Amino acid sequence: MNNTEIARTRSNQESRPRWTGVGESVTADSYAAGAEAAADALVDDEVALLIVFCGHQHNYRELVSGIQSVTDGNAQIVGCTTGGEIALGGVRDGSVVIMAIGGSGLAVAAEIAHRETDDLRSAGEYVAGAVDKVDDLGHTVLMLLSDGLAGDQQEVVRGAYARVGAPIPLVGGCAGDGLEMTKTTLFATEPDGTCVTDVPVVGVAISSIAPMGIGVEHGWEPVGEAVLITRSQGNTVYTIDEEPALDRYLRLHGAPLDLADDHEAFTRFAATHPLGVVRRSGNEVRFIFGADPELRTITSIAAVPSGSMAWAMQGTADSILEATDAACTAAIEQLDGPPVGLLAFDCVARRGQLNQEQIYQGLDSLQAKVGAPIAGFYTYGEFARVKGASGFHNQTLVTLAIG
Amino acid sequence: MSTWALISLTEVIAAVSRPDVEPDIADTVRRVSETLDAEVAAVISETGVRSALGFGSTENCPVKELLVLAESNSPAGHLSGIGPVHLATAHIEGSGMSLLLARTEERFSPDEVAFVRAVGRVLGLSAKMREALEAERIAVDRERHLAQHDALTGLPNRTTIERTLTTKLHPSRTQTVTALFVDLDNFKLTNDTLGHAFGDEVLMVVGNRLGSVVRRGDTIGRLSGDEFVVICTDIAERAAQNLAARIQEAISQPIRHGHSDHVISASVGIATARPGDSPEQLVSNADLAMYRAKQRGRARIDVFDAALRADLENRVSIGQELRRATRNGEFVAYLQPVVTLPEGEVVSYEALVRWAHPSRGIVSPAEFIPAAEDSGLVISIDRFVIESAIKIQAGFGSPRPVAVNLSARTFADQSLVPWLREKLIEYGVSPSSLAVEVTETALIERVEAAAAQLEAIRELGMKVMIDDFGTGYSSLSHLQVFDVDGVKIDRSFVASVGEDARSSAIVTAVLHMANALDLVVVAEGVESDAQVQTLSELRSNKITVPLLGQGYLFGKPQPAIQILVPRREVAAV
């Protein structure tokens, strides 16, 4: 891919109290890529926020410097590494995708948790303070970006919910690292423009004069027999049906028992073979991201409580695409008018169920439905709380339609 | 219950019954709200909201609405900031609290209501279990604390201090251990005059003040009553004395009592021991040093030394000899004349005890009275002197009264007055021919009882003098409390009268006070004409009460027979 393939899209509203713009760059040089993508995203004045999704090989500080070279330096920048960047130009790995948001009808404020915030609940509670800082224009959401490998991400939601309560919807996703499962990175600018990179959670409050919509769909179905989680602690499952968890999990999905000996092969397999935990609303999907071939344990990106009932979950290209369609429709239906932009937080596992052609098919249908700039990334877990108190999801597509 | 609800309940039970994690009601409630997609989960007591999820900050929590909804037990309602809600409530059994869940989306199904009630039960059972465990833990902790600490001040008690010292003085240790024995001065008086409640407060205040001045690592304990101890490791003698001074300074800060301030002082004894020494010995040495500090006039610091131990050992051996002396009748009563000043006319005698030791000859009271007081033999000795005085009056029919000394113990003895009455009758002696001398210290130890005892003695018809006047505690004020016939100004003032302005001022003050109260004044220890001169000058024209004197100038104490019987009669006998 080269620079000629950089897509550029504009929000097509006539009067522009609110606007979004998306720019992409596949340039390897981080500074140049940041500058290029930002320049394309800045389709209007009064930029308030630049949301950056990029490959984990980038130098984040240079990338941010590149962005700041084309902005006035005051705009808030937040970003993270991904399991693939999403823009209308396609789904890529190692590129830079930036959505810029601005206009007098939108206000943003960010809060950055630091590593010293030792637990994710405190971090979630802390970054939710962004809601207190933002100018309330009538409709506010809190966007959360989090280090997906840092622990039970439901804790981030618990912390944020405790602070903002029911009136503020939560949306967002966990950073990825191209399925290497070793280190994901968040970065953000402080008020003085300096870039911070060692961040567990970032919260961005986005307030609009118009309603915003959030869609949540996954497209997975339970298959085979139900099993009982007999022993677990936090995200680690020790036994299923009193059997070593890894063995029971692999047999449940009909996989060879030595699969976990090959880390990469297991990760690829597990990404598309989640567990579903029985919940009131149906089966909540749990993304299995690691296994210990010695201890025979498996690790999920969210808590799998002892005593819960689980299923092997299965998705098809059709069911995944149907879910994509439904998530967008649901988000847009909540708006008063056409969207000015859409952010997509799509689970990396759903990507694995689709071939290249199906991915483009999905993007085309998205573009047709949204008709506005779209940006997003493949995540290691998704945040969406519009009702109830929980709001961390796995293997799911979460969309935020900005109205 | 449907599958998901049963499974969720299993999860809740698993979460609250984990042995390795302290169960957290707020956390469990949060889990339930997540399970039910409920925006609000609150734990509500009759009087307030213990925890509430879903409103963001605490200020946004509509406490009144929640209380009303929890009380009403209705399936729907309205919550500020959330809007119309469906409700499910349950009692948390045995806690007086309830659990309230509110959801905007759809009403709670019977399954969900059953689930919420079951959670309430589980939480109640778990809370009960925790309460039971907590109560047991508190009881055990309290028992252990009580066994090791003084209930009033919360400080380690004697047992704990001894255990601490045993550890610190173990032969394997290398550091010296110093004990500061802190005893409050006249605490008994404080307790008697200002009440035990205030006395207890004083002890607590002192405990706290000790804590504020000791060094990090020092141990403070309360041994008993008003006795405290501070244990320090590897402290130089100078530093220990500085610490003792800081302790005295802290203790002497006023303590509020009603509308006035009460000031107490403390005497401190310091002793040091080496690893291998006995803990009991260390405390006892510090106690001895404290005792000497008190003897030297209170509010002082004294350091234990070998002489003090020798002195004590001497007392113990004297005590044994005294027992023998009492049995063998080795005590003798001497008389010393009391005369008018400046004329020198004998008006009365004071009976004084001497010990006719078989090998040491005549031993003066200064050498054996402290030991006699320690052993309790002082009562027998005092009674011997009193009986001797009565016999003298009976035998010689002296027209002049004889005064006898009552030690604190003898004076406090309830059988004293009946015994006196009995002896006076036995020998047919008029009570007016006898007087008793009591020290101020003996009087103030138990003020109310002392006043009653004085009254009883005077009712017998005997006169009462306060001995060693001026050395005790706020002397002048006591003259108003105790009904006495006279005071004897302590020899220490008489010795320096005319040379030391302070002594002269005290003597003058005593004279004026005595004059106002119509009391006889005796100057003790008069040894020179100059003293007689000065005393006479201090007694201005306004003083009408008699001023008497006693001392070597007018006659040493001598056996009664030599004083009362003319020489030739003695020879004839």
Side-chain angles (χ1 to χ4, degrees):
Chain A
M1 248 177 244
N2 56 52
N3 289 352
T4 58
E5 293 175 27
I6 291 169
R8 180 176 167 167
T9 41
R10 272 178 178 269
S11 164
N12 51 11
Q13 298 238 315
E14 285 299 312
S15 66
R16 303 170 67 91
R18 314 182 300 287
W19 61 265
T20 68
V22 172
E24 298 173 70
S25 173
V26 294
T27 303
D29 180 78
S30 297
Y31 184 92
E36 284 169 13
D40 282 350
L42 293 173
V43 296
D44 214 320
D45 299 331
E46 292 185 86
V47 60
L49 174 69
L50 294 117
I51 306 168
V52 184
F53 306 125
C54 66
H56 62 284
Q57 84 290 351
H58 271 292
N59 180 316
Y60 319 109
R61 287 178 197 282
E62 285 187 17
L63 178 55
V64 167
S65 295
I67 297 168
Q68 286 172 328
S69 73
V70 296
T71 65
D72 58 5
N74 290 331
Q76 175 70 52
I77 300 169
V78 298
C80 68
T81 55
T82 73
E85 302 84 49
I86 302 170
L88 286 179
V91 168
R92 302 198 180 88
D93 291 295
S95 70
V96 173
V97 169
I98 297 177
M99 176 180 269
I101 296 176
S104 58
L106 282 168
V108 302
E111 200 69 82
I112 306 160
H114 294 271
R115 283 286 173 195
E116 304 88 81
T117 316
D118 53 356
D119 65 296
L120 287 175
R121 194 182 295 189
S122 310
E125 193 168 347
Y126 179 76
V127 301
V131 171
D132 302 331
K133 284 164 64 175
V134 76
D135 289 336
D136 185 1
L137 302 181
H139 305 273
T140 305
V141 298
L142 178 65
M143 184 183 79
L144 297 163
L145 296 178
S146 177
D147 172 0
L149 302 177
D152 180 7
Q153 299 295 319
Q154 178 62 32
E155 287 286 285
V156 176
V157 177
R158 286 176 181 142
Y161 187 65
R163 177 137 184 193
V164 299
I168 307 290
L170 307 177
V171 67
C174 297
D177 65 350
L179 278 184
E180 283 181 18
M181 297 297 169
T182 50
K183 185 183 190 320
T184 73
T185 303
L186 309 183
F187 49 91
T189 53
E190 298 273 21
D192 66 357
T194 57
C195 176
V196 204
T197 60
D198 193 24
V199 175
V201 187
V202 172
V204 182
I206 304 172
S207 193
S208 171
I209 54 172
M212 288 182 275
I214 293 171
V216 189
E217 293 292 337
H218 60 67
W220 302 86
E221 290 298 329
V223 285
E225 57 200 298
V227 293
L228 204 59
I229 306 299
T230 42
R231 191 159 82 85
S232 72
Q233 187 161 359
N235 298 4
T236 304
V237 185
Y238 293 93
T239 60
I240 299 174
D241 286 345
E242 302 287 6
E243 211 182 308
L246 176 58
D247 300 52
R248 190 72 187 94
Y249 165 77
L250 289 170
R251 285 206 292 114
L252 206 54
H253 282 292
L257 295 183
D258 60 357
L259 185 66
D261 297 346
D262 180 346
H263 173 71
E264 235 177 86
F266 178 83
T267 307
R268 272 197 312 275
F269 174 83
T272 53
H273 293 83
L275 285 178
V277 180
V278 177
R279 283 290 174 266
R280 171 179 175 271
S281 51
N283 290 293
E284 222 171 69
V285 191
R286 288 288 182 270
F287 171 26
I288 305 302
F289 83 90
D292 187 324
E294 299 296 317
L295 295 174
R296 311 303 289 173
T297 58
I298 54 173
T299 307
S300 171
I301 217 126
V304 183
S306 263
S308 58
M309 188 181 273
W311 304 80
M313 299 294 276
Q314 167 182 285
T316 62
D318 284 348
S319 67
I320 299 293
L321 289 174
E322 271 170 35
T324 305
D325 201 61
C328 287
T329 306
I332 292 167
E333 276 177 357
Q334 294 162 38
L335 308 181
D336 281 349
V340 295
L342 183 130
L343 278 165
F345 305 94
D346 200 356
C347 183
V348 70
R350 288 168 31 93
R351 180 186 182 187
Q353 295 297 81
L354 305 175
N355 61 32
Q356 198 66 13
E357 194 185 325
Q358 289 162 330
I359 285 175
Y360 277 105
Q361 190 189 328
L363 287 172
D364 286 347
S365 91
L366 265 186
Q367 189 171 24
K369 211 168 265 306
V370 177
I374 294 173
F377 73 104
Y378 282 111
T379 61
Y380 285 2
E382 306 77 43
F383 298 112
R385 195 216 65 81
V386 285
K387 59 172 189 177
S390 66
F392 181 60
H393 307 266
N394 285 185
Q395 328 278 97
T396 300
L397 167 63
V398 170
T399 54
L400 170 66
I402 300 167
Chain B
M1 239 188 246
S2 53
T3 309
W4 71 263
L6 267 177
I7 293 295
S8 300
L9 188 58
T10 315
E11 288 177 31
V12 170
I13 294 171
V16 300
S17 57
R18 275 182 63 181
D20 53 333
V21 177
E22 183 78 12
D24 181 338
I25 289 191
D27 224 59
T28 309
V29 169
R30 183 196 323 275
R31 185 187 288 267
V32 171
S33 75
E34 287 169 7
T35 302
L36 293 174
D37 291 321
E39 284 84 1
V40 172
V43 178
I44 297 164
S45 70
E46 278 176 19
T47 53
V49 176
R50 298 285 288 269
S51 73
L53 180 72
F55 301 100
S57 65
T58 323
E59 307 93 78
N60 293 338
C61 176
V63 175
K64 275 190 190 158
E65 290 176 12
L66 286 171
L67 287 172
V68 170
L69 289 178
E71 179 74 18
S72 72
N73 202 20
S74 59
H78 181 278
L79 284 170
S80 298
I82 309 260
V85 284
H86 302 280
L87 300 163
T89 53
H91 291 297
I92 301 177
E93 277 187 23
S95 69
M97 294 188 286
S98 41
L99 173 62
L100 180 141
L101 287 136
R103 186 164 79 191
T104 55
E105 182 199 28
E106 58 183 326
R107 65 188 299 269
F108 288 92
S109 68
D111 263 4
E112 291 170 330
V113 173
F115 169 69
V116 173
R117 300 234 161 111
V119 169
R121 218 182 150 79
V122 167
L123 282 178
L125 289 172
S126 160
K128 267 186 200 164
M129 182 63 78
R130 227 168 329 132
E131 274 168 29
L133 288 170
E134 179 68 5
E136 189 172 308
R137 188 187 64 74
I138 289 172
V140 169
D141 281 1
R142 189 172 156 72
E143 205 170 303
R144 191 185 311 134
H145 187 85
L146 278 182
Q148 295 176 351
H149 292 76
D150 161 45
L152 181 65
T153 61
L155 293 174
N157 60 16
R158 184 180 281 274
T159 317
T160 310
I161 286 294
E162 280 174 1
R163 198 178 308 139
T164 304
L165 283 175
T166 305
T167 311
K168 286 180 182 284
L169 287 171
H170 191 267
S172 64
R173 298 289 180 114
T174 54
Q175 294 170 312
T176 61
V177 179
T178 297
L180 279 70
F181 198 108
V182 181
D183 189 288
L184 305 184
D185 297 328
N186 298 310
F187 178 69
K188 204 167 163 24
L189 183 69
T190 303
N191 238 347
D192 288 346
T193 54
L194 301 176
H196 289 274
F198 181 66
D200 285 352
E201 193 189 325
V202 167
L203 293 174
M204 286 189 276
V205 167
V206 168
N208 284 336
R209 288 182 181 177
L210 284 174
S212 69
V213 293
V214 298
R215 310 168 314 158
R216 188 193 296 263
D218 292 347
T219 306
I220 308 167
R222 181 174 167 224
L223 297 177
S224 66
D226 59 341
E227 295 175 342
F228 294 84
V229 69
V230 177
I231 306 293
C232 314
T233 309
D234 235 4
I235 185 171
E237 187 179 315
R238 184 62 178 268
Q241 291 194 11
N242 287 341
L243 177 59
R246 285 208 304 280
I247 288 171
Q248 287 185 321
E249 166 73 20
I251 290 177
S252 68
Q253 297 306 306
I255 298 171
R256 201 76 188 149
H257 178 255
H259 295 292
S260 57
D261 283 337
H262 184 72
V263 176
I264 51 167
S265 61
S267 301
V268 184
I270 303 173
T272 298
R274 299 183 178 287
D277 288 351
S278 137
E280 295 82 15
Q281 189 73 69
L282 172 63
V283 174
S284 144
N285 289 350
D287 188 4
L288 266 181
M290 183 282 298
Y291 185 77
R292 189 163 65 182
K294 272 215 194 297
Q295 281 187 323
R296 290 179 174 175
R298 296 196 171 90
R300 283 165 192 268
I301 298 164
D302 212 326
V303 181
F304 177 82
D305 51 36
L308 200 51
R309 172 60 55 191
D311 186 39
L312 178 81
E313 281 161 4
N314 190 30
R315 270 204 219 180
V316 172
S317 78
I318 289 180
Q320 287 161 353
E321 285 197 74
L322 282 175
R323 237 171 273 282
R324 188 205 64 222
T326 314
R327 278 199 307 274
N328 299 350
E330 294 172 12
F331 297 105
V332 190
Y334 276 33
L335 293 184
Q336 185 176 31
V338 176
V339 306
T340 56
L341 291 181
E343 301 83 4
E345 188 186 319
V346 175
V347 290
S348 64
Y349 298 97
E350 179 180 358
L352 297 159
V353 69
R354 291 292 183 269
W355 179 10
H357 195 275
S359 56
R360 292 165 62 192
I362 299 298
V363 181
S364 87
E367 288 186 53
F368 65 86
I369 288 297
E373 279 175 343
D374 285 351
S375 62
L377 286 172
V378 74
I379 294 181
S380 312
I381 297 170
D382 279 353
R383 286 194 174 184
F384 163 79
V385 178
I386 296 167
E387 198 165 349
S388 300
I390 293 173
K391 280 181 189 168
I392 288 165
Q393 293 296 47
F396 300 101
S398 161
R400 303 183 183 91
V402 175
V404 293
N405 289 290
L406 300 183
S407 69
R409 279 207 192 198
T410 308
F411 177 67
D413 183 5
Q414 288 303 303
S415 65
L416 173 70
V417 174
W419 181 83
L420 279 172
R421 188 183 291 118
E422 195 181 300
K423 289 294 167 189
L424 290 169
I425 293 167
E426 186 183 334
Y427 292 97
V429 167
S430 161
S432 63
S433 64
L434 286 177
V436 297
E437 295 183 6
V438 187
T439 61
E440 273 187 281
T441 317
L443 289 177
I444 61 162
E445 274 184 12
R446 290 163 69 237
V447 175
E448 281 174 30
Q453 187 78 318
L454 285 181
E455 174 102 11
I457 294 170
R458 293 191 50 173
E459 273 180 8
L460 272 183
M462 293 168 73
K463 291 198 185 324
V464 178
M465 306 285 284
I466 298 184
D467 206 2
D468 302 342
F469 191 76
T471 58
Y473 176 83
S474 58
S475 304
L476 293 176
S477 62
H478 286 133
L479 290 179
Q480 291 168 311
V481 179
F482 300 117
D483 201 1
V484 297
D485 300 284
V487 294
K488 299 183 79 171
I489 300 178
D490 190 68
R491 59 180 65 246
S492 59
F493 301 109
V494 176
S496 55
V497 77
E499 294 165 14
D500 175 22
R502 194 169 159 269
S503 294
S504 304
I506 288 172
V507 172
T508 310
V510 172
L511 280 169
H512 280 88
M513 177 72 94
N515 193 56
L517 298 170
D518 197 20
L519 303 179
V520 173
V521 178
V522 182
E524 293 183 295
V526 180
E527 292 176 0
S528 69
D529 291 328
Q531 285 168 352
V532 175
Q533 177 74 20
T534 312
L535 288 167
S536 304
E537 284 166 15
L538 289 176
R539 182 190 176 212
S540 66
N541 293 335
K542 288 180 185 167
I543 308 291
T544 55
V545 291
L547 173 60
L548 308 175
Q550 180 181 354
Y552 280 17
L553 186 65
F554 313 113
K556 291 182 181 177
Q558 292 181 53
I561 200 163
Q562 287 180 20
I563 287 199
L564 298 178
V565 182
R567 279 189 191 283
R568 58 175 191 284
E569 284 182 37
V570 173
V573 172

